[in-house]
Amino acid sequence: MALVRIWARRSGALRYDRAWAPASPFTMGAIVRTAARKSLGESGWNAAPARGVAERMTTFGIIGAGHIGSQVARVAIAQGNEVVIANSRGPETLAELVEELGPKARAATAQEAAEAADVAVISVPLKAYRDIPVEPLAGKVVLDTNNYYWERDGHIEALDRGEATTAGLLQEHLPTSKVVKAFNQITSQTITTDGTPAGTENRRALATASDYPEAVELVTRFYDEAGFDTVSAGPLSESWRFERDRPAYVSRQNAEELKANMAKAQRVL
């Protein structure tokens, strides 16, 4: 395993973040291309690129530059990818963040980030999910980090009654995309500090869910390179098991603990 270090300027000081990247030729670029081949019915999901063949960097289009979105951007760049990041206030307001992230990052509008994305990350308040561009994300894997805070988002009856999930709402809005739940049940600051190498005793685990196996595979590898094990809840309809206020939400858990906490979750609180 290789330790990737990010030295970033914030408030005049250097901050040390870390992400663990396995020594493997299977980069995120290869994951995205292999997922695309699989979705087209081609074989070779586990095939690694030929020795000596250069991999194109994956572009992560991140819509929402708050605590979670900016941290996922740091992880993506630590893994050797490019980032195009957007917020609701305009690219010019992201100058400081982009300077910190370095030359593999640039600010853009939400439309531009969606168009540039090989993989998209949606990290906006849930009440704004209908503002996410639809057409540019067609056919793409979309990581949904959202949580439902009725105090901020207003009450959504389908969620209050346990008839929908936050990721399911986004999937309905993006019918031609491959939505996968990710990074919603971890506090933002620990995304870049809690990762450890694969095989570490009591390694922290994060949950995911999707109707698309290739999207779960992508998130599983992304989590692993960031230093986390993965537990899949299954389809998006089961993603409520690690939404806000359930036992799996926020607290640090290894894979077995996370499985147990998801199993004992109650749908309606």
Side-chain angles (χ1 to χ4, degrees):
M1 307 295 289
L3 178 61
V4 178
R5 292 176 176 172
I6 309 170
W7 292 96
R9 293 189 179 278
R10 174 168 288 184
S11 302
L14 287 173
R15 192 192 69 258
Y16 176 66
D17 292 336
R18 65 180 181 177
W20 291 89
S24 166
F26 209 131
T27 63
M28 286 302 295
I31 296 168
V32 173
R33 282 188 296 284
T34 310
R37 289 198 301 271
K38 187 181 182 188
S39 69
L40 293 173
E42 297 182 23
S43 60
W45 170 250
N46 291 314
R51 187 178 300 276
V53 175
E55 289 294 336
R56 182 179 65 82
M57 285 184 290
T58 298
T59 297
F60 279 72
I62 300 180
I63 302 176
H67 296 302
I68 297 292
S70 60
Q71 285 286 69
V72 174
R74 293 180 180 102
V75 171
I77 288 175
Q79 294 180 15
N81 303 294
E82 294 182 332
V83 163
V84 180
I85 191 164
N87 65 8
S88 61
R89 295 179 293 143
E92 66 280 358
T93 66
L94 295 171
E96 182 178 348
L97 175 61
V98 168
E99 181 182 6
E100 174 201 320
L101 293 174
K104 290 183 180 178
R106 66 180 176 90
T109 65
Q111 179 75 18
E112 291 166 342
E115 291 171 350
D118 297 313
V119 176
V121 179
I122 307 303
S123 194
V124 300
L126 183 62
K127 63 183 178 182
Y129 79 90
R130 292 187 181 90
D131 296 332
I132 302 302
V134 177
E135 293 301 325
L137 296 176
K140 298 177 180 179
V141 173
V142 177
L143 279 61
D144 171 40
T145 76
N146 262 321
N147 287 298
Y148 173 41
Y149 293 96
W150 59 263
E151 305 91 333
R152 174 198 65 191
D153 302 315
H155 280 284
I156 300 174
E157 291 187 7
L159 295 178
D160 291 339
R161 294 195 299 262
E163 299 172 353
T165 66
T166 56
L169 293 177
L170 183 63
Q171 182 68 83
E172 290 177 6
H173 176 67
L174 301 173
T176 57
S177 300
K178 301 175 182 180
V179 174
V180 57
K181 199 70 176 175
F183 289 110
N184 74 297
Q185 40 99 220
I186 181 172
T187 57
S188 60
Q189 66 271 21
T190 56
I191 290 174
T192 53
T193 60
D194 273 17
T196 55
T200 299
E201 185 178 0
N202 203 37
R203 192 189 199 202
R204 185 168 185 174
L206 299 179
T208 190
S210 179
D211 297 337
Y212 298 92
E214 60 268 38
V216 171
E217 177 71 11
L218 188 150
V219 167
T220 298
R221 291 186 180 274
F222 192 54
Y223 277 171
D224 185 55
E225 292 194 12
F228 303 99
D229 285 340
T230 302
V231 176
S232 174
L236 286 182
S237 60
E238 294 295 305
S239 60
W240 61 270
R241 293 185 178 277
F242 53 97
E243 289 181 344
R244 178 193 177 188
D245 294 334
R246 271 78 177 189
Y249 188 70
V250 174
S251 63
R252 190 193 190 285
Q253 304 146 91
N254 62 30
E256 292 304 314
E257 292 167 339
L258 180 52
K259 290 175 186 176
N261 282 331
M262 287 198 295
K264 68 185 181 184
Q266 294 183 347
R267 185 69 189 265
V268 179
L269 300 174

